[in-house]
Amino acid sequence: MDMKKAEWWKNAVVYQIYPKSFQDSNGDGIGDLQGIIQRIDYIKRLGADVIWLCPVYCSPMDDGGYDISDYYHIDPMFGTDEDMDELIQKADAAGIKILMDLVINHTSDEHEWFQNALKDPDSRYADYYIFRETEDGNPPNNWRSYFGDASWTRAGDSSRYYLHAFSKKQPDLNWENKELREEIYRMVNYWLDKGLGGFRIDAVCNIKKRLEYGVFQPDGEDGLRYIGDWILNQPGIETFLRELNERTFKLHSSMTVAEANVPEELLDQFIGEDGFFSMVFDFSYADIDVPDTGEWFHPRKFTVEELRENIFRSQKMVQEKGWGAVYLENHDQKRSVNKYIRVKDIGYFSKT
């Protein structure tokens, strides 16, 4: 393999687009794919080589499109499947690659798989997700989701609960199921075969779970305990990530950016010479206002000194192992002008 060609992304500047708030081509008040197509030349003049496109798949939009109900089709609010093909082709002609968001930790609860799992607990689809029966009617444990509520939701009026690290409308997929993994690889290759440049992979460090049951010592007044201790970078995740890379990304010389909070001792596996991904986001400075409990909706104050130290530490650590995705904000972040600039009563800098 021509390594220079395989690592084309090392010189890339990425322009993120949240489609709903980008250009509206048909006057319905919602940005769409044709609006992006109309702005390709403009984006090229800005110096971008890659467009990272936030989710445009079919979705009930409970979480801005990160709750996918159909991986293979474009939501009508954004246009058609043919519009997506046109965007890929016209961007490529302008020397711009398209990255889609890849959401494979969970689906929407309106996805056909989950609906089938609810209808028939004995179907193959029930094992595509993480269901647990309880005898006392209580949830299997007291984990808190990233969104602040309990991580287990009862399936209808049954004694079954399903796990969700995010919204209750985003049930987690069961990566232990080989049949589920094959479905995922088939879908990823479907998009890459269309000429997609790669993916930004959402919440991928959560796909391996260490399931334990009971009531754990709460870390907040809500009586719940942060789920991250049991689902972030768990031992064995490397098997799933290596298989995903070998079966999909590596075959297409893809650019892959993992939304993955990776500790230093694992960085080489993730972004080293034979790593799972091209690069990972480092949250140590971009999420500096997120408290240890994971409650990003209750931001903490931080100092300029903390921010500087985290940025320098991050750059040194990443450059020793591989390639980093340098950024200050995205769709999950406040705008930099509000978050980082010290203005009285604006932002989250501490005065000390």
Side-chain angles (χ1 to χ4, degrees), residues 278-327:
S278 308
M279 61 193 88
V280 296
F281 287 125
D282 183 353
F283 298 98
S284 64
Y285 61 91
D287 278 1
I288 194 170
D289 57 334
V290 178
D292 292 338
T293 59
E295 296 174 287
W296 53 267
F297 42 86
H298 290 146
R300 74 173 189 88
K301 293 184 182 295
F302 58 90
T303 67
V304 177
E305 288 74 19
E306 280 184 275
L307 181 63
R308 183 186 63 232
E309 289 172 8
N310 282 16
I311 290 175
F312 274 71
R313 186 186 309 115
S314 168
Q315 287 295 299
K316 182 179 179 182
M317 178 177 67
V318 170
Q319 289 177 22
E320 288 178 351
K321 305 294 183 180
W323 211 254
V326 181
Y327 78 111

Side-chain angles (χ1 to χ4, degrees), residues 62-63 145 147 149 153 162 164-172:
D62 180 68
D63 184 28
S145 79
F147 283 180
D149 58 352
T153 292
Y162 65 88
H164 53 92
F166 296 88
S167 158
K168 67 180 181 180
K169 288 185 65 62
Q170 295 168 287
D172 276 36

Side-chain angles (χ1 to χ4, degrees), residues 72 113 128 175 177-189 243 247-248:
Y72 287 94
W113 297 342
Y128 278 22
W175 271 73
N177 184 318
K178 186 177 188 300
E179 191 173 0
L180 177 277
R181 299 201 304 274
E182 292 297 328
E183 294 263 23
I184 295 294
Y185 305 152
R186 189 178 305 117
M187 176 271 295
V188 171
N189 284 320
E243 184 179 78
R247 296 285 302 280
T248 61

Side-chain angles (χ1 to χ4, degrees), residues 333-351:
Q333 306 284 337
K334 290 182 176 293
R335 292 187 180 277
S336 295
V337 69
N338 298 106
K339 182 171 179 174
Y340 298 113
I341 296 179
R342 187 192 294 272
V343 179
K344 185 178 181 181
D345 297 328
I346 295 179
Y348 292 97
F349 278 126
S350 171
K351 293 181 180 179

Side-chain angles (χ1 to χ4, degrees), residues 229-248:
D229 295 336
W230 285 269
I231 69 170
L232 272 173
N233 299 314
Q234 294 301 303
I237 192 175
E238 64 278 0
T239 301
F240 294 154
L241 297 181
R242 185 175 297 107
E243 184 179 78
L244 172 63
N245 183 38
E246 295 285 343
R247 296 285 302 280
T248 61

Side-chain angles (χ1 to χ4, degrees), residues 9 23-24 29-30 68 74 77-78 108 110 116 131 141 152 154 162-163 185 204 214-215 220 224 226 241 310-311 324:
W9 39 266
Q23 180 159 320
D24 170 18
I30 300 173
I68 297 170
I74 301 302
M77 77 169 64
F78 299 123
S108 165
E110 297 183 27
N116 287 333
F131 285 94
N141 59 42
W152 294 93
R154 188 191 299 268
Y162 65 88
L163 180 69
Y185 305 152
V204 72
V215 178
L224 302 175
Y226 175 50
L241 297 181
N310 282 16
I311 290 175

